[in-house]
Amino acid sequence: MKKKMVGTLAALAAVSMVATACGGGSNGASAPETKDSTVKENKDPVELVFYSMSRDSEASFNDRYGEAIRKKFPNYTIKYIQRATGSDLQDLINAGQRIDIQWDSIGSFPGSNMVFELSYDMTELMKKHQVDVSRFEPSLIDAMKQLGNGAIYGLPVYNERMALFYNKDIFDKLNVPYPKDGMTWVELNEIAKKLNVEKDGVTYTGFSPSVNHLFLVNQYSLPLLNKDLRSNISNEKWKQILDLQLLQPTQNPVYQKAMANNKGKILDLNQFAKDQSLAMFISSPILPQVMKDELSKFNWDVVSEPTMPDAPGVGPQSYPGYFAITKTAKDKDAAMEVIKFLTSDEYQMEYSKKGIMTTLKNESIQKALGQESAFKGKNYGAFFYNKFPAIADKTIQESQVAILGTYTKNLNKLSAGDMDINTFMRTAEEESNKLLDSLNKK
């Protein structure tokens, strides 16, 4: 496996400037797709093999991608290999199994596509097939270029971005005004205080963070590792994030009691969606699909994730999924046509209506988010409300060892007051650097 750095601080700065200038949904409609006059549609039978580290079931693959591809390309045979025991990526490579299109989230992509040396620069193929990258949200393309040192190993087919879900029933019961789009974390914490209440035998709490996303999609675009491939947790900006988004909402008597009742763990989706005792929680537009039954049992809505006081109008990072043609792909033109279709206005509009966040700038597609879902009428525009920041630099190293785990490991102790912030950061830094040292010795 290759051990190499795939990003630099300079690249992060450049990406940040582009993303800040371009923003998100306010950019207007993207350039229209052009009719391809240089590439003839492949009429011959083609088999395309898909693979992902996600462990998605075959039914899930078919629902999201397979059936749509087969309908568009009836002469293509679409095969999906689900990751399972005996079919990990290394197993398939050892067995000589060809993979034509491999996809993963931005967090998993370096550890799969790049570590296993499947990467193929699609730049020239994209030009041949007239794929217009200006149609995409710029930060998604810039993030892939950072990973590939300028090469484009994959195109973003779906996106994830966080927003603030809230239980309107709790707000009504406690007579507290609903949150609004455009709030800051300071404003949210003032609202949360009013919702930390014990009433009718129930311990209600105002807000609890999604702990992984505190680090993965932070609004400052802080990477987990610095330019020297060492822990970046000592950056002072992390203290601001942890103070506003974790400590202030959780370090009060009512939340501490609820946390104790939760075996000392920070409250999460269970308390929000199942117990209905947590008033506000950060999640993505996929939540109404994966927890449809639970969310059907109470009145909820969503507003934009609050912003940091010194970063007004800047929302959380995106967490996209990239589809990549591998270097082993047998028919790269056919694979390119499929990915071009998955990033087309046609496909993106259909799945935006179902509640899948688009990767395109097209405002019509963005505004269609969730229109035909089980929860149509909710404020899905919240996911596009604030500007898109640069996506923090990703590295192969952080995908090979559990850097994120060293950052989240002691958050329960920090929230409970059993560890101070300086000890927390020092411990996380030491443990993450120890993991990196062990990786370098291999």
Side-chain angles (χ1 to χ4, degrees), residues 2 22 97 200 233 333 393 424 430:
K2 292 185 177 180
C22 294
Q97 171 64 55
D200 301 329
I233 193 66
D333 284 303
D393 280 9
F424 167 82
E430 290 173 354

Side-chain angles (χ1 to χ4, degrees), residues 92-122:
L92 300 181
I93 291 172
N94 290 344
Q97 171 64 55
R98 186 186 85 248
I99 298 171
D100 298 294
I101 296 177
Q102 181 258 330
W103 91 91
D104 269 314
S105 69
I106 191 169
S108 299
F109 194 89
S112 55
N113 185 276
M114 300 178 72
V115 164
F116 289 93
E117 300 183 345
L118 295 173
S119 305
Y120 171 79
D121 186 359
M122 295 162 51

Side-chain angles (χ1 to χ4, degrees), residues 161-206:
R161 201 183 192 210
M162 311 303 279
L164 181 71
F165 285 77
Y166 65 100
N167 184 326
K168 299 175 85 170
D169 293 336
I170 296 178
F171 278 80
D172 292 342
K173 180 184 288 287
L174 301 178
N175 197 28
V176 176
Y178 300 147
K180 298 178 180 179
D181 287 329
M183 293 188 310
T184 66
W185 282 103
V186 174
E187 292 170 320
L188 176 128
N189 285 328
E190 288 302 312
I191 294 175
K193 290 177 184 177
K194 301 174 183 177
L195 297 159
N196 293 316
V197 175
E198 293 185 78
K199 186 174 182 177
D200 301 329
V202 179
T203 302
Y204 293 104
T205 50

Side-chain angles (χ1 to χ4, degrees), residues 161-168 171 179 188 206-207 269 272 278-288 295 298 300-305 378 380 383:
R161 201 183 192 210
M162 311 303 279
L164 181 71
F165 285 77
Y166 65 100
N167 184 326
K168 299 175 85 170
F171 278 80
L188 176 128
F207 172 77
L269 264 178
F272 177 76
L278 174 63
M280 296 180 286
F281 188 76
I282 295 291
S283 193
S284 78
I286 203 70
L287 178 63
L295 266 62
F298 63 96
W300 62 271
D301 212 332
V302 60
V303 295
S304 61
E305 179 172 328
K378 301 295 184 182
Y380 282 98
F383 295 98

Side-chain angles (χ1 to χ4, degrees), residues 19-34:
T20 302
C22 294
S26 60
N27 290 332
S30 58
E33 295 175 87
T34 55

